[in-house]
Amino acid sequence: MASLFPDGEGNCRLLDAGAGIGSLSAAFLDRWRSGGFRFKRVSVDAFELDSALIEHLTHILDSYNNRGDFVANIRQEDFIHIAVESLTGDLFSPPIGPYTHAILNPPYKKINSQSAHRTALRRVGIEAVNLYSAFVALAVAHAAPGAQIVAIIPRSFCNGPYYRPFRNFILDHAALCHMHLFESRSKAFKDDDVLQENIIIRLECGGRQGSVTVSTSSDDSFSDLSYHEHPFDRIVFPDDTERFIHAPTSAEQNAIELSPAIRCTLADIGIKVSTGPVVDFRLKSTCATCQVRAPCPYCIPAISAK
Ligand SMILES: C[S@@+](CC[C@H](N)C(=O)[O-])C[C@H]1O[C@@H](n2cnc3c(N)ncnc32)[C@H](O)[C@@H]1O
């Protein structure tokens, strides 16, 4: 993730929100210390809520503090509340940012519609259904012009109606420059037991949208890394009001993209699909159709045919 940033110079203000023990900041700072960035000075704002991680985080970031050109601000605070208060100009909470860089592996958790996080986010016009999209949206909102954001997040934001406000927010405020896909979801994060399909994205805030680099690797060893460059209209179709984000893995267009006949969603042509009733754990003890028993071998085929 640290290697995805273009080189930079001057003063770098890095955001690491949900920093854990600081592994991502450390990768970024290692690249700087080994000459991979030409920054004169770097400051890091590392937000981490978990008190058990703060000592390790402090220890790791302090190890870069030996030349007088680096400052680490470790903040054991809720990033969402601090970032929202910064945007609303709360008198008692000084603003954060603007950041020139952000490196993020945010928490993944649904945000309930009545929760304090959801209410706070709405105050600044951000509709987020998951912590990860809230973290990325708030990083974009605190970015300096031209800022670079690299984030590893679940792929679920690429489509579906719930993430449409998030897609609109990031595509309106930033250029999508790079997407990295892991071809095997069971291999990529096997040590962490993560079966979530994850994607790494690089955004350039306020940047002009050009072509998008899509790289793939089977897993996190990156041994078979390959790259393709795609025009943006292959990533987000120009006539798609939902702004689904496609991640083509080859240079050739696929059957759906090539077919002028396939341009409608199921809703456009009046078809509703539900897989709910045929998922066994959702079936009540009696079949809702014939009231006999569940799962009912007679009604399930009839329900799925509907
Ligand atoms: C997926 S982990 C990533 C840790 C680290 N960035 C890494 O890549 O190893 C997300 C981290 O966010 C922290 N976190 C969760 N909610 C937070 C919040 N509201 N504000 C700040 N940190 C939070 C968690 O404690 C956790 O350490």
Side-chain angles (χ1 to χ4, degrees):
M1 287 174 68
S3 73
L4 289 184
F5 290 96
D7 186 13
E9 49 190 13
N11 290 338
C12 165
R13 297 196 64 184
L14 175 67
L15 170 68
D16 185 351
I21 58 165
S23 313
L24 295 181
S25 287
F28 187 95
L29 295 166
D30 283 344
R31 180 174 159 192
W32 176 43
R33 287 296 190 218
S34 59
F37 290 121
R38 284 168 296 144
F39 303 126
K40 276 205 183 78
R41 301 181 61 78
V42 175
S43 67
V44 179
D45 281 359
F47 288 87
E48 175 51 58
L49 262 186
D50 187 341
S51 57
L53 303 179
I54 296 296
E55 196 185 326
H56 299 284
L57 176 61
T58 309
H59 178 71
I60 285 179
L61 294 186
D62 275 355
S63 67
Y64 296 90
N65 200 3
N66 50 359
R67 297 189 200 166
D69 54 359
F70 173 70
V71 178
N73 303 306
I74 293 163
R75 302 190 55 165
Q76 194 193 339
E77 288 167 291
D78 186 315
F79 174 66
I80 294 186
H81 290 306
I82 296 292
V84 165
E85 281 159 20
S86 161
L87 291 173
T88 53
D90 189 309
L91 270 185
F92 302 104
S93 160
I96 57 168
Y99 297 105
T100 59
H101 296 76
I103 192 161
L104 306 171
N105 177 13
Y108 311 159
K109 194 172 158 228
K110 283 215 171 79
I111 305 179
N112 293 330
S113 55
Q114 308 303 325
S115 69
H117 280 149
R118 192 71 168 262
T119 313
L121 289 159
R122 284 201 178 121
R123 281 170 55 209
V124 290
I126 293 176
E127 271 305 327
V129 290
N130 197 299
L131 286 178
Y132 81 78
S133 54
F135 271 53
V136 175
L138 288 168
V140 170
H142 284 88
Q148 300 284 333
I149 296 177
V150 174
I152 182 164
I153 51 179
R155 201 173 160 169
S156 52
F157 76 93
C158 291
N159 40 45
Y162 293 130
Y163 286 94
R164 185 171 49 180
F166 175 64
R167 287 193 295 278
N168 283 337
F169 188 84
I170 57 170
L171 295 173
D172 289 348
H173 292 87
L176 177 61
C177 301
H178 191 136
M179 293 194 275
H180 179 80
L181 313 171
F182 297 97
E183 272 162 10
S184 159
R185 68 165 118 173
S186 54
K187 273 166 80 187
F189 301 99
K190 57 183 183 311
D191 294 344
D192 301 321
D193 239 4
V194 173
L195 270 182
Q196 183 74 257
E197 210 172 346
N198 283 322
I199 182 171
I200 298 174
I201 55 169
R202 177 168 71 84
L203 303 171
E204 181 178 321
C205 295
R208 212 172 57 82
Q209 183 65 63
S211 59
V212 182
T213 306
V214 177
S215 55
T216 52
S217 64
S218 315
D219 53 33
D220 58 345
S221 71
F222 300 98
S223 54
D224 54 354
L225 191 61
S226 72
Y227 291 89
H228 287 291
E229 200 76 15
H230 298 285
F232 184 66
D233 60 11
R234 245 201 113 187
I235 305 293
V236 178
F237 300 163
D239 52 358
D240 178 7
T241 53
E242 294 288 323
R243 296 170 99 181
F244 287 172
I245 297 174
H246 301 260
T249 48
S250 80
E252 295 82 45
Q253 291 190 305
N254 64 32
I256 292 180
E257 291 171 86
L258 284 170
S259 168
I262 305 177
R263 280 287 171 269
C264 301
T265 64
L266 291 173
D268 290 341
I269 52 176
I271 294 180
K272 272 193 183 166
V273 177
S274 165
T275 58
V278 292
V279 179
D280 58 359
F281 61 79
R282 291 212 182 117
L283 286 173
K284 304 252 163 53
S285 52
T286 52
C287 171
T289 309
C290 66
Q291 303 295 319
V292 177
R293 65 193 167 94
C296 172
Y298 307 107
C299 296
I300 285 174
I303 292 167
S304 37
K306 278 186 203 166

